[in-house]
Amino acid sequence: MEQLSSELLLVKVQEFIAKSDYAREPMGMYDPIKYVLDLGGKRLRPVLMLLAYNLYREDVDSILWQATGIETYHNFTLLHDDLMDKADMRRKKPTVHKKWNENTAILSGDAMLILSYRFMMEHCPDDKVQAVMQVFGQTALEVCEGQQWDMEFETRMDVTVNEYIEMIRLKTSVLLAAALKIGAILGGASETDATRLYDFGIRMGLAFQLQDDYLDVYGDPAVFGKKIGGDILCNKKTYMLITALEKAEGELKAELMKWIAATGYEPAKKIAAVTDIYNKVGIAGLCKERIEAYYQDGLHLLDAVDVEASLKRNLHDFVFSLMNRNL
C-alpha cells in the first residue's frame, strides 16, 4: 500500500482548502472566513487525519472534506479566541475583529462552526457518519470546555498542575486526537486501533503544549518563531508558572508573587527575574521530564496499533518533527 508523506498530504490539504468556494453573499460574512483560512498555519489536524487514514487505505482524496472540516473548526476556535483575548494579530496579520469588527468576528465564527459540521458530513460514507459525528461533536464541546477553564484560570492563583493538564487536554489535545480517530474510523480501523490512535493524539498534544510552555521561556526566538517570555509578561498559568508557585518557598515565593502583582516594570527585567526563579526551583528539568514521559507513552500507543510498522513510519516521523523544535 502506498504511503504518502506528510509534505504531500499538506499540499493536498492546502490545494483543497484554496479551491473551497466562499465567494457567496453576503460577502461581509464569507470574506472573513476566507481570510482566516488563507492565513495558513501548519494544518496539523487535517494532515494527522490523512496520515491515520493512510494507515489503512490509499485513497486519501476521498476524505479531504472531513480534513477541511476539522481545519475549519480549528480556525473557528482561533477566531473566537482572538476576540476573547482581544488579540490584535494572528500569524502576523490583523485578527478578524481588528480588520472588520467584533460583530463580524462573532457571526463569521458562528458560520465557520456550522460549515465545519457540513464539511465533516460531506461525502462521508453512510455507515461511518454516526461514529464520525459522535467523535467530532464530543470533541467540539470539549474544546469549548477547555477554553472556559483557561479563562477561569486567569483569575485564580490556586490552579494545580493536574487542573492545568486537564485544561490543555481539552483545549489542545482532544482535537489532535479526534483528527487521528476520525481518520482511522474512515479508513476502516478496528475500534481498538481507533482508540489507540486517539490516545496517542492525547499524549502527543500534551507533550506539544508543554513544549510550547517550555520554549516560551527557554526557546530560541529564531527557531521558536515568536518572542520569548510572553507567557511570563502576562502571568499566563502555564505548567512553568503553576509548578513554580507550588515549589518556590520563602523569599523566592515572595519574589515570584511580587512580579506577578507588578504593574509597572521593564519587560526584559521581569522575564529575566522570573526565569531566574524557574532556574532555582528546577522547572526546566521537571517540564522536560513530563514532556518526555507523554511523548514515550504516545509512541508506545502508536507501536501497539495493529498495522505493519513500515506503514506507521510517516506518522511517526511527522510527530517527531513536531516535537523536535529546539528542545
Side-chain angles (χ1 to χ4, degrees), residues 24 65 113-122 133:
R24 293 175 54 181
W65 280 110
L113 175 59
I114 296 163
L115 284 168
S116 71
Y117 275 82
R118 198 174 96 185
F119 293 160
M120 194 61 69
M121 296 185 71
E122 193 79 23
M133 297 312 296

Side-chain angles (χ1 to χ4, degrees), residues 5 13 26 30 34 55 61 140 161 178 251 253 257-258 263 273 288 311 318 321:
S5 69
V13 169
Y30 287 101
K34 187 175 188 309
L55 294 175
D61 288 6
V161 168
E251 292 182 6
K253 177 74 169 282
M257 295 300 292
K258 180 197 78 174
T263 53
K288 287 172 79 171
L311 300 178
F318 182 63
S321 72

Side-chain angles (χ1 to χ4, degrees), residues 289-303:
E289 284 175 13
R290 194 171 275 242
I291 291 168
E292 185 64 17
Y294 285 133
Y295 182 59
Q296 291 301 327
D297 194 18
L299 291 182
H300 289 315
L301 286 160
L302 180 58
D303 287 343

Side-chain angles (χ1 to χ4, degrees), residues 29-315:
M29 185 176 80
Y30 287 101
D31 277 349
I33 296 174
K34 187 175 188 309
Y35 173 78
V36 169
L37 289 170
D38 284 350
L39 289 178
K42 301 182 186 74
R43 311 295 195 202
L44 301 184
R45 292 145 196 87
V47 170
L48 283 171
M49 184 184 291
L50 296 178
L51 283 166
Y53 182 86
N54 197 208
L55 294 175
Y56 304 94
R57 298 184 60 165
E58 292 182 4
D59 58 331
V60 295
D61 288 6
S62 68
I63 68 160
L64 283 171
W65 280 110
Q66 285 70 40
T68 301
I70 208 154
E71 182 67 4
T72 302
Y73 176 80
H74 171 62
N75 280 272
F76 144 71
T77 67
L78 299 182
L79 193 160
H80 276 190
D81 282 0
D82 287 341
L83 178 60
M84 286 184 263
D85 294 341
K86 296 180 170 52
D88 292 344
M89 305 292 287
R90 165 72 65 179
R91 296 170 184 150
K92 299 181 181 179
K93 294 286 184 68
T95 50
V96 168
H97 67 274
K98 296 299 290 187
K99 185 174 175 63
W100 283 273
N101 55 61
E102 292 187 358
N103 286 344
T104 296
I106 293 168
L107 189 60
S108 293
D110 290 347
M112 288 181 79
L113 175 59
I114 296 163
L115 284 168
S116 71
Y117 275 82
R118 198 174 96 185
F119 293 160
M120 194 61 69
M121 296 185 71
E122 193 79 23
H123 299 299
C124 187
D126 290 345
D127 62 336
K128 302 287 197 301
V129 170
Q130 184 174 353
V132 165
M133 297 312 296
Q134 188 171 18
V135 173
F136 186 56
Q138 179 65 25
T139 300
L141 188 60
E142 287 179 333
V143 172
C144 294
E145 292 169 358
Q147 174 67 6
Q148 180 64 32
W149 282 122
D150 197 18
M151 291 190 299
E152 291 185 12
F153 288 175
E154 291 176 9
T155 57
R156 285 179 51 193
M157 292 302 296
D158 62 345
V159 180
T160 66
V161 168
N162 286 342
E163 285 180 311
Y164 178 71
I165 295 298
E166 175 62 5
M167 183 275 287
I168 63 174
R169 183 188 74 82
L170 292 166
K171 187 172 177 180
T172 301
S173 293
V174 295
L175 197 56
L176 298 171
L180 288 158
K181 187 170 185 177
I182 290 170
I185 290 169
L186 290 168
S190 68
E191 190 173 330
T192 300
D193 268 3
T195 299
R196 283 172 178 153
L197 284 164
Y198 180 89
D199 291 340
F200 162 70
I202 292 290
R203 303 309 191 281
M204 292 306 169
L206 294 175
F208 195 71
Q209 183 57 55
L210 289 181
Q211 190 188 61
D212 254 14
D213 292 358
Y214 177 91
L215 291 175
D216 189 80
V217 180
Y218 296 107
D220 177 350
V223 179
F224 188 36
K226 52 187 176 184
K227 292 180 181 178
I228 299 302
D231 292 343
I232 290 174
L233 293 179
C234 65
N235 299 324
K236 187 170 178 61
K237 303 300 192 311
T238 65
Y239 177 85
M240 315 297 278
L241 179 58
I242 294 166
T243 305
L245 286 167
E246 288 183 356
K247 300 288 185 185
E249 297 177 345
E251 292 182 6
L252 211 56
K253 177 74 169 282
E255 186 183 356
L256 181 56
M257 295 300 292
K258 180 197 78 174
W259 281 110
I260 290 172
T263 53
Y265 54 80
E266 292 179 29
K269 191 173 181 181
K270 177 173 179 176
I271 291 168
V274 174
T275 300
D276 185 56
I277 294 170
Y278 289 173
N279 292 340
K280 288 175 179 173
V281 179
I283 298 299
L286 292 170
C287 189
K288 287 172 79 171
E289 284 175 13
R290 194 171 275 242
I291 291 168
E292 185 64 17
Y294 285 133
Y295 182 59
Q296 291 301 327
D297 194 18
L299 291 182
H300 289 315
L301 286 160
L302 180 58
D303 287 343
V305 173
D306 191 21
V307 299
E308 288 288 332
S310 61
L311 300 178
K312 293 180 271 190
R313 177 52 52 190
N314 284 344
L315 178 53

